[in-house]
Amino acid sequence: MVITCFHSFDYFGFYYKDKSFFLVVTFVEIYAGVVAKFDFVKIISEISHSFVNNRYVAIIWLILPLLAVLEHKGLKEQAKNLISKIKGANTGKILMGYFIFRQVTAALGLLSLGGHAQMIKPLIAPMAEAAAKLKFKNLARKDSQKIKAYSAATDNVAVFFGEDIFIAVHSILFIQAFFASNNISVSPIDLSIWAIPSGILALIIHCFRLYLLDRRLKKTYGVDDDHP
């Protein structure tokens, strides 16, 4: 119960953007321990134990400095140059292709092969935006921002409806535990199988939304005949 209290208080750190996040988290965890009437040594022990057991969570942050260096060295520009060399490339097709890639890899349990920090910001969003700017020379800022939003949504929807197809993902185990607590017997394989229709439906609906995005852009700006 106390560990749960510790982790619940962690979220308050996000509200103090002008302070050190880790300082706020440490303070509220110590406060939670005091409220639970733990002695100080016990509080520090619990915090240290939790950190050691969950240190792998911080591994994802190691990729951020690498992405920053790659972006500084022109990763976005290279992504845009690649799009300019592909005939018939447009925003919708790029995002549809990424959706399929992301959903299939998520269904195989490869959740780290994508994400906002790793793929959307440095690669997918710039490619989708570049495709629109090449085709529509006077692309407005609001439409540019909308393309970025669609890029982020593509990753969210694909992984959300794809990961449940993988039998060992945490959400499947959570759903099974919930059913079990209500005396309903459901195996993880059954949950995974029934996640497939939802995944297919999500693919169809989101790709249709991307198709409508392309149509909306063409209607707003017209088709540039000089574009290959």
Side-chain angles (χ1 to χ4, degrees):
M1 182 181 69
V2 175
I3 295 300
T4 303
C5 186
F6 281 167
H7 289 298
S8 298
F9 271 96
D10 283 352
Y11 293 100
F12 284 101
F14 288 105
Y15 291 99
Y16 297 89
K17 297 182 184 298
D18 57 330
K19 306 291 185 181
S20 168
F21 171 74
F22 294 104
L23 180 62
V24 173
V25 169
T26 303
F27 173 79
V28 295
E29 288 181 338
I30 293 175
Y31 177 78
V34 171
V35 171
K37 298 182 179 180
F38 277 16
D39 63 78
F40 189 74
V41 175
K42 176 70 172 178
I43 295 171
I44 300 302
S45 175
E46 292 289 353
I47 294 174
S48 303
H49 180 72
S50 179
F51 174 79
V52 171
N53 286 346
N54 296 280
R55 62 188 181 277
Y56 64 87
V57 176
I59 292 176
I60 186 62
W61 299 106
L62 297 178
I63 196 174
L64 297 183
L66 173 61
L67 291 174
V69 172
L70 291 175
E71 287 190 35
H72 180 70
K73 295 297 183 180
L75 179 62
K76 288 185 178 180
E77 286 70 20
Q78 291 301 319
K80 293 176 182 179
N81 291 337
L82 175 64
I83 289 301
S84 66
K85 298 176 182 178
I86 301 177
K87 293 183 178 181
N90 59 38
T91 300
K93 290 180 181 178
I94 292 170
L95 295 181
M96 288 178 193
Y98 177 73
F99 188 102
I100 295 171
F101 165 79
R102 183 66 162 138
Q103 191 173 50
V104 170
T105 53
L108 296 174
L110 304 174
L111 299 178
S112 61
L113 292 181
H116 290 205
Q118 306 96 307
M119 290 287 286
I120 297 299
K121 184 178 184 296
L123 287 175
I124 304 302
M127 291 169 68
E129 185 181 8
K133 287 183 176 180
L134 285 170
K135 200 165 188 178
F136 314 113
K137 300 301 182 182
N138 299 316
L139 188 69
R141 184 179 183 276
K142 66 175 184 177
D143 290 319
S144 178
Q145 295 299 316
K146 184 177 293 185
I147 290 172
K148 293 177 182 178
Y150 268 84
S151 301
T154 297
D155 186 272
N156 288 343
V157 176
V159 73
F160 184 85
F161 287 97
E163 65 177 359
D164 287 345
I165 300 174
F166 185 60
I167 190 173
V169 75
H170 55 84
S171 56
I172 289 291
L173 302 178
F174 177 79
I175 294 170
Q176 184 195 24
F178 174 79
F179 279 123
S181 66
N182 289 277
N183 299 318
I184 301 174
S185 178
V186 180
S187 66
I189 187 64
D190 290 332
L191 293 172
S192 296
I193 290 174
W194 281 103
I196 295 176
S198 299
I200 295 173
L201 191 59
L203 171 64
I204 294 171
I205 292 174
H206 195 74
C207 286
F208 181 68
R209 293 183 68 241
L210 294 173
Y211 168 75
L212 293 179
L213 173 65
D214 274 338
R215 285 195 59 182
R216 194 178 304 119
L217 291 173
K218 289 179 182 179
K219 183 178 180 180
T220 302
Y221 299 99
V223 180
D224 187 351
D225 295 331
D226 295 333
H227 187 268

